[in-house]
Amino acid sequence: MEVSDSSSRILAGLLEGRTGQQLTLSRRWRIETALSSVLRARRIATLDELITLLVMGKDPGLADEVVEALLNNETYFFRDRTPFDTIRDQLLPDLMEKRAATRRIRIWSAGCSSGQEPYSLAMMFADDPHKWAGWNIEIYASDISGSIIRKARNGRYTQFEVQRGLGIQQTIRWFEEDEDGWVVSDKLRQMVNFETRNLLDDPPNGSFDLVLCRNVLLYLNHERRREAFDRIGSVVASDGALVLGAGETVIGQTELFAADRNIRGLYRLQQNENADRRAMRA
C-alpha cells in the first residue's frame, strides 16, 4: 500500500485540522501501518478508496477513526527513567516542604496516551505510603484520543506493555493478572482522573504543582506550540514545575518558562511573565 504525496497531504490536513498536530515527513512512514486496521475493519480495499471516502465527507465517523489511528500513542511505564528519578528525588522533597500546610499535591499528565505515565507517578507515591500518609495526591491525566483514554481508564495492559519499564516486584504489587493480561490495582486507579482533552483547548481547572507534557509539543507547529505553552503556563503554580520530553525545549518557543537553575530537566515560570499571565486570566 504505497502512499502518494496527494494522499499524504490530505491526511496531514485532516490530522492538523482536527488536532493541531502535524503529520511531518518523518512521521509519514507510519501511515501505512497506522491505517491498516481501519482498512480491515471498514473492509476498504485500498488507501485510495479510503481517501476518496474521506474527501466525499459522508461518514464523519470514518474521519474520526483515521485521526485516532494517525496519532502517535507510543509510551511505556517510567519512560526515560531519568525524569521520574528527578521528580522523586529532587522535586517532590521540595514540594513536600512547600506544601506542608495543605498536604496536597496536584499533577497534570498532559498527553498521557494509554496511561502508563500517570500510573507510573501514582506508583511513586504508593510505593512510599508512610512518607505520603495523610497527603492528598491528585493526578489528572488527559489525551486528545478518546479511545486511548478509555484504554487508560480501563487500566488493562498486555504482558509486553507491563514488561516495558516495570520490574517483577512492581508488577506483582500493583497489577492483577487475568486471562487477558494485567490490570492496574484499584488503589492506583483511584489516584488518577482521566479525561479526553486537546492540549490546545482550555486547560483543566485549578493550579498544578507539576505538569508533564512530554513528546507532545514536537508535533505542533511553532504558533500552536506557543499557544500550548500559554495554556500550560496558565495553570502551573507560581512555584511549580514543567517537565518536557528529552528532545524538547522552551528556548525560542516561549518566554513563560526557563530552565530550572538547580534541577536539570525542570522548567519554571518566569516570575515577571507569571504575574502578567495571571492578571490576563483574572
Side-chain angles (χ1 to χ4, degrees):
M1 182 172 61
E2 191 170 333
V3 184
S4 66
D5 288 341
S6 60
S7 294
S8 294
R9 286 194 295 271
I10 291 171
L11 293 171
L14 175 64
L15 180 66
E16 187 164 9
R18 293 289 186 95
T19 71
Q21 294 190 18
Q22 293 182 303
L23 190 64
T24 59
L25 291 174
S26 62
R27 294 178 69 194
R28 292 186 182 182
W29 66 269
R30 294 186 61 251
I31 291 177
E32 181 177 349
T33 302
L35 295 181
S36 59
S37 60
V38 177
L39 295 180
R40 287 195 303 271
R42 290 280 190 151
R43 297 183 180 179
I44 299 173
T46 66
L47 185 60
D48 287 339
E49 183 181 347
L50 173 65
I51 297 299
T52 299
L53 292 171
L54 289 173
V55 172
M56 290 172 63
K58 295 182 178 180
D59 186 353
L62 176 61
D64 292 340
E65 290 178 32
V66 168
V67 168
E68 291 262 349
L70 290 174
L71 292 170
N72 185 2
N73 294 312
E74 167 66 10
T75 187
Y76 51 90
F77 291 101
F78 293 97
R79 183 180 184 181
D80 306 326
R81 175 74 63 164
T82 299
F84 291 95
D85 292 341
T86 299
I87 292 168
R88 181 194 62 211
D89 299 335
Q90 299 183 67
L91 179 62
L92 289 184
D94 178 59
L95 285 175
M96 186 175 235
E97 181 179 344
K98 292 176 178 176
R99 302 294 184 266
T102 62
R103 297 174 75 83
R104 181 191 189 199
I105 292 178
R106 300 189 77 226
I107 301 174
W108 177 19
S109 171
C112 69
S113 188
S114 46
Q116 285 92 323
E117 180 176 272
Y119 284 134
S120 296
L121 293 167
M123 270 183 256
M124 284 200 312
F125 291 100
D127 279 336
D128 203 348
H130 298 296
K131 182 177 181 178
W132 297 105
W135 282 73
N136 182 12
I137 307 300
E138 300 177 18
I139 302 174
Y140 177 87
S142 65
D143 197 274
I144 193 172
S145 170
S147 63
I148 210 69
I149 282 293
R150 287 191 292 274
K151 173 180 171 62
R153 193 178 287 129
N154 192 38
R156 184 180 296 277
Y157 300 97
T158 65
Q159 180 71 37
F160 174 74
E161 289 172 321
V162 168
Q163 286 178 329
R164 296 185 74 192
L166 292 181
I168 294 175
Q169 292 302 318
Q170 277 185 313
T171 301
I172 294 173
R173 185 175 187 183
W174 298 118
F175 292 78
E176 294 183 6
E177 187 177 16
D178 63 17
E179 64 276 6
D180 296 320
W182 295 84
V183 183
V184 176
S185 70
D186 289 341
K187 181 172 182 177
L188 292 189
R189 285 157 60 131
Q190 290 167 5
M191 294 177 66
V192 185
N193 176 33
F194 289 101
E195 184 176 278
T196 304
R197 184 184 294 270
N198 190 333
L199 189 60
L200 298 174
D201 292 338
D202 290 337
N205 294 327
S207 177
F208 292 91
D209 305 298
L210 171 64
V211 175
L212 292 89
C213 185
R214 302 196 300 149
N215 308 306
V216 178
L217 299 176
L218 53 86
Y219 297 123
L220 305 178
N221 64 31
H222 182 73
E223 180 180 350
R224 283 176 166 161
R225 202 173 298 157
R226 290 184 66 90
E227 183 181 344
F229 274 119
D230 288 344
R231 296 280 196 273
I232 295 169
S234 70
V235 293
V236 174
S238 59
D239 57 352
L242 168 66
V243 177
L244 300 176
E248 297 172 312
T249 181
V250 300
I251 299 174
Q253 310 298 322
T254 179
E255 290 75 44
L256 282 177
F257 292 93
D260 188 291
R261 295 181 180 180
N262 300 312
I263 306 179
R264 183 180 177 86
L266 297 187
Y267 297 90
R268 303 281 190 176
L269 283 167
Q270 300 274 52
Q271 291 308 308
N272 57 333
E273 298 289 347
N274 180 35
D276 291 343
R277 76 182 174 85
R278 295 290 186 189
M280 291 175 62
R281 197 177 183 218

